Amino acid sequence: MNIVRVALDVPLPRLFDYLAPDSDESDIGRRVTVPFGTTARTGVIVELAAASEQPDNKLKAVTAILRDMPALPAEWLALCEFCARYYQTPLGEVTSFALPPMLRRGKLPRIKKSAAAVHAAVSAPDLPRLMAAQQAAVEAILGTAGFHALLLHGVTGSGKTEVYLRAIDAVLARGGQALMLVPEIALTPQLEGRVAARFPAAHIVCANSGMADAARARGFLEALAGRADIVLGTRLAVFMPLPRLQLIIVDEEHDASFKQQEGLRYSARDVAVWRAHQLDIPIVLGSATPSLETFHHASPKSAPPVPPSRGGDSGSPLRGSGSLTGPALGRPGGGTGRYQMLELPERAVAEALPVVRIVDTRREKLQEGLSAALLKGLQLRLDRGEQSLVFLNRRGYAPVLACPPCGWISRCQRCAANLVVHLADQRLRCHHCGFETGIPCACPDCGNVDLLPFGRGTQRLETMLAERFPEARVLRIDRDSASTPKKWQTLLATIHAGEADILVGTQMLAKGHDFPLLTLVGAVGADAALFAADFRAPERLFAQLMQVGGRSGRAELPGEVLIQTEYPDHPLYQALVDHDYVRFARSQLDERRIAGFPPFSFQAMLRAEARSIEQSLVFLSAARGAAEALADGVTLYDPIPMRMQRLMTLERGQLLVESVSRPALQAFLAKWMDKLYALKMPGGLRWHLDVDPLEF
Ligand code: ADP
Ligand code: ZN
Ligand code: ZN
């Protein structure tokens, strides 16, 4: 009796058995079409079995085993199984996600014949001589066999990419494949260009969600067949099958986009580390501002005493209070020592880091939110024919429209959020659910016609700057102005051609672009993140400001960064002035250690959404009840409404569970999931579990 166990994309945590008389071992890892209920589905065969727990007379036969492409290798299946286990997601949902949509549907792209790649790197004399720290990094990556994780820490321009390319070169020369993950689709063309120029004869495959179906499926098949030398892609590329994989690189490893926020809520960075471990190969995590998780792993177990920082500023209000940092909480400054830290302390190209200045706005009357210092800096750049960037991480004209006499404000009907004023196209928009409506000419409550936009977004800054500097060409770069890849490319080209003087932009501009004419960055409205409820907000703010500052002064022109703030002495800003990521990271880690936050604990979040908040909370309470008997070494918090309670008319609640031990949390989650699937749910209620959640 030949039975195949099939992973099907259905929300049930189990495999499905089918009769397949002509199947054999070689079919494990093949796609298969099967009858399911009244429909046909495509899944992946993950096991063969001699007998099924279901009675034989109930078993249906497969429709067809698809033998039109090589079977997915055991390593790939193991990777999917790990994700299913770790993220508590049915295996069929994982395999389905990990396959490109076309292959998932049981189809195949038309295959173009490509010549076998011959490895030939650019000849040595054309390459820059590595600096000592780069050389040491390359040796550390390649010098040791087997699994090791390395954190390559260096500011923008310190030569991290050059290190990646050298390591890839060596791997290709040995006949291996390399996988490189980057955070954004927008960055891949640029990086692809650089990689292609370095390895003209190598076969480079891109993988991201913006690609056409057929192209993505073709890339997957080329990787599977071992024809791809280098795979370059966003988070989903971590699932590319690579039979000769010898090196994984995760660039900008701190970037939140490596964590998927829906469906399979995986962290591509974490999955990549697991994969490297499983394959016994090196993995390089690179960043100017590593995630605190990674930095913690790359810090030795007992760090040397933290040197007193400038001006006696401890960086942490809690440092020095010895009674709070007893042995149970771990040694201050000590990490896990699991990763090797590689520092690139200088910029590869001659010029210095930008000068970072804090602009104290407490006693100043700002002009449309801009300080005299920033306005002066902008004028100076205009006079010199250089570019400036005003960084404001809020798009739209104003965050809300208000009627001061009666107190009406523009609210989304579907979410617990304000409607943002978009003056350019005369719309009010919800940035959470996409709801939009025209700007009313009068207050819907009292009829007053003098409605006022409150606060400031990029559009308003753009308008104000254009009025203030009539001779300047002002260019706004945010998700509205760069809504398509083509528009984005056009904007970038305009900047590069020097056809813009003042850029107004969100974090879109912060990542991975060289703007040789840019010499001034002004950051406005940054303070909001200092006191946000999310404990990761300061970490994100620091990374953003460091990144956006790194855009300035890359070429011959020195850069300047002005940060407007009402908290000029805040340790976060002071660390930025000193370009001292390590001090910032240690002070944050000290606070997290004392508060028991990650990386000193491990978390999972159960979220529920329903038509009423009561339904969501009742379900979560039941889930908590079911957890109580299982929660060995795990803390269960109380169900609470989410901070943004209402989204798309659904009312959302959350339940946090936490443990100082990852294995304890994992063991608990596995048992808990069985109970959750068995819980009674009101109609319309949906829930999901988010392991290692990034958003609160
Ligand atoms: P990062 O990835 O850290 O931002 P890059 O690797 O892109 O840094 O290096 C920044 C610039 O310096 C690039 O133009 C690169 O070609 C150049 N570069 C890198 N390493 C060296 C070196 N050893 N000597 C000269 N130029 C270098
Ligand atoms: Zn909404
Ligand atoms: Zn009114």
Side-chain angles (χ1 to χ4, degrees):
M1 178 72 54
N2 278 358
I3 291 166
V4 290
R5 300 231 145 104
V6 180
L8 286 178
D9 186 1
V10 291
L12 293 171
R14 46 166 290 207
L15 299 172
F16 297 86
D17 291 354
Y18 287 90
L19 295 170
D22 67 337
S23 63
D24 63 40
E25 289 288 322
S26 71
D27 290 322
I28 296 176
R30 286 195 195 284
R31 293 166 310 148
V32 60
T33 50
V34 296
F36 187 83
T38 56
T39 60
R41 288 189 186 244
T42 303
V44 175
I45 299 174
V46 295
E47 276 174 43
L48 298 187
S52 172
E53 276 146 38
Q54 296 161 246
D56 284 350
N57 58 7
K58 281 237 184 116
L59 282 187
K60 292 186 193 164
V62 302
T63 311
I65 295 177
L66 306 179
R67 297 194 174 96
D68 50 1
M69 67 179 233
L72 294 153
E75 184 253 326
W76 188 87
L77 289 175
L79 183 69
C80 291
E81 273 159 12
F82 163 73
C83 287
R85 222 168 35 242
Y86 188 83
Y87 293 106
Q88 308 295 335
T89 303
L91 180 59
E93 288 186 14
V94 179
T95 51
S96 168
F97 174 79
L99 285 170
M102 191 178 234
L103 301 181
R104 179 189 310 160
R105 291 193 301 268
K107 304 214 171 63
L108 271 192
R110 207 170 313 135
I111 302 293
K112 294 187 206 141
K113 273 266 178 285
S114 69
V118 200
H119 171 63
V122 172
S123 55
D126 297 343
L127 299 180
R129 249 176 72 90
L130 291 183
M131 299 178 295
Q134 285 177 308
Q135 187 65 43
V138 173
E139 278 163 20
I141 297 164
L142 300 168
T144 329
F147 169 74
H148 51 298
L150 309 106
L151 166 58
L152 186 60
H153 174 220
V155 296
T156 311
S158 61
K160 296 186 294 297
T161 310
E162 189 59 40
V163 170
Y164 306 149
L165 294 176
R166 298 295 172 107
I168 291 173
D169 190 5
V171 161
L172 297 189
R174 289 187 211 146
Q177 295 171 304
L179 171 64
M180 182 161 177
L181 304 181
V182 292
E184 309 259 321
I185 298 174
L187 296 182
T188 51
Q190 185 188 333
L191 187 66
E192 191 192 355
R194 191 162 166 192
V195 175
R198 177 63 68 91
F199 307 110
H203 186 34
I204 301 166
V205 161
C206 287
N208 62 62
S209 58
M211 289 166 65
D213 266 11
R216 217 180 118 191
R218 250 194 312 269
F220 190 92
L221 292 176
E222 286 175 344
L224 176 63
R227 277 199 299 275
D229 297 307
I230 303 170
V231 170
L232 197 67
T234 52
R235 61 178 180 242
L236 54 82
V238 77
F239 291 109
M240 289 288 264
L242 291 154
R244 291 176 286 111
L245 185 58
Q246 290 188 17
L247 173 67
I248 304 179
I249 291 160
V250 184
D251 192 27
E252 309 283 4
E253 68 83 30
H254 65 280
D255 198 281
S257 76
F258 284 122
K259 174 89 160 115
Q260 179 150 292
Q261 305 288 4
E262 82 259 313
L264 176 61
R265 290 174 165 76
Y266 69 109
S267 155
R269 177 198 61 212
D270 296 351
V271 172
V273 173
W274 187 86
R275 191 171 183 189
H277 185 262
Q278 182 203 17
L279 291 176
D280 205 25
I281 60 171
I283 177 165
V284 185
L285 308 176
S287 177
T289 50
S291 67
L292 292 179
E293 282 81 0
T294 299
F295 183 77
H296 185 60
H297 281 316
S299 303
K301 278 198 177 124
S302 52
V306 184
S309 49
R310 265 181 10 148
D313 180 359
S314 74
S316 159
L318 296 169
R319 179 171 300 136
S321 42
S323 59
L324 283 175
T325 53
L329 293 162
R331 261 186 75 147
T336 69
R338 279 191 219 153
Y339 300 174
Q340 185 178 353
M341 178 98 78
L342 303 167
E343 299 268 1
L344 298 183
E346 316 156 53
R347 278 188 156 182
V349 271
E351 86 282 345
L353 291 166
V355 177
V356 179
R357 292 203 172 85
I358 305 297
V359 180
D360 180 354
T361 58
R362 281 173 301 182
R363 273 176 215 89
E364 190 177 336
K365 175 129 175 39
L366 300 177
Q367 302 188 34
E368 279 284 344
L370 301 185
S371 62
L374 182 50
L375 289 169
K376 206 172 127 207
L378 292 170
Q379 185 63 56
L380 185 69
R381 296 326 186 278
L382 273 179
D383 296 343
R384 291 203 298 222
E386 297 167 11
Q387 285 173 335
S388 314
L389 161 66
V390 182
F391 172 69
L392 171 62
N393 217 358
R394 197 190 295 134
R395 68 197 168 89
Y397 184 83
V400 68
L401 188 68
C403 172
C406 85
W408 175 87
I409 57 169
S410 56
R411 301 279 293 167
C412 178
Q413 303 162 3
R414 305 194 289 199
C415 308
N418 293 336
L419 292 176
V420 176
V421 185
H422 285 252
L423 211 54
D425 38 7
Q426 292 288 315
R427 308 294 281 172
L428 294 176
R429 287 208 180 94
C430 175
H431 285 186
H432 299 276
C433 74
F435 172 83
E436 61 172 81
T437 171
I439 295 181
C441 354
C443 172
D445 282 1
C446 75
N448 165 32
V449 292
D450 291 321
L451 298 178
L452 287 181
F454 264 90
R456 198 170 291 105
T458 46
Q459 286 183 11
R460 190 168 198 166
L461 257 186
E462 177 193 18
T463 309
M464 177 266 162
L465 286 164
E467 280 167 16
R468 169 87 203 203
F469 300 104
E471 74 279 27
R473 294 160 298 178
V474 180
L475 192 67
R476 174 168 53 85
I477 301 100
D478 55 24
R479 266 201 288 139
D480 298 315
S481 70
S483 53
T484 63
K486 196 153 174 255
K487 285 186 186 168
W488 172 232
Q489 292 306 329
T490 309
L491 288 169
L492 285 180
T494 308
I495 303 172
H496 275 282
E499 286 162 9
D501 302 305
I502 301 179
L503 318 175
V504 179
T506 57
Q507 60 177 5
M508 259 198 112
L509 262 192
K511 284 174 199 157
H513 301 280
D514 273 332
F515 302 125
L517 287 175
L518 183 71
T519 59
L520 173 68
V521 172
V524 302
D527 285 345
L530 290 180
F531 308 103
D534 183 346
F535 70 88
R536 284 194 176 86
E539 179 182 354
R540 267 185 233 121
L541 176 65
F542 189 90
Q544 266 174 14
L545 292 178
M546 188 99 164
Q547 220 160 21
V548 79
R551 297 299 121 221
S552 73
R554 273 196 91 167
E556 304 74 38
L557 302 166
E560 184 180 17
V561 178
L562 297 178
I563 300 172
Q564 291 191 178
T565 173
E566 296 188 9
Y567 304 90
D569 301 322
H570 196 285
L572 187 151
Y573 294 136
Q574 290 302 324
L576 275 168
V577 168
D578 297 337
H579 302 282
D580 197 345
Y581 163 81
V582 171
R583 188 173 89 214
F584 169 74
R586 287 196 181 142
S587 75
Q588 281 289 303
L589 283 169
D590 282 351
E591 289 179 19
R592 297 234 192 134
R593 176 186 287 107
I594 288 159
F597 286 144
F600 302 96
S601 64
F602 303 91
Q603 300 178 325
M605 186 77 88
L606 181 67
R607 301 195 189 95
E609 54 183 40
R611 276 186 289 273
S612 79
I613 190 66
E614 289 72 29
Q615 284 180 328
S616 289
L617 294 179
V618 165
F619 171 81
L620 292 173
S621 298
R624 195 185 186 287
E628 264 156 22
L630 315 168
D632 193 10
V634 174
T635 307
L636 307 172
Y637 289 86
D638 288 326
I640 52 168
M642 282 178 69
R643 187 137 25 92
M644 220 190 91
Q645 182 180 320
R646 205 168 132 82
L647 179 71
M648 302 274 288
T649 74
L650 291 172
E651 301 280 342
R652 311 181 304 161
Q654 66 183 37
L655 167 60
L656 179 67
V657 299
E658 189 181 84
S659 176
V660 291
S661 152
R662 203 195 286 273
L665 182 64
Q666 280 288 316
F668 160 75
L669 292 177
K671 285 182 267 168
W672 195 29
M673 286 304 273
D674 288 341
K675 304 263 186 216
L676 290 181
Y677 279 110
L679 279 183
K680 269 235 236 353
M681 302 193 297
L685 184 137
R686 292 201 316 196
W687 59 269
H688 70 257
L689 187 73
D690 188 352
V691 179
D692 303 328
L694 276 189
E695 289 187 348
F696 281 79

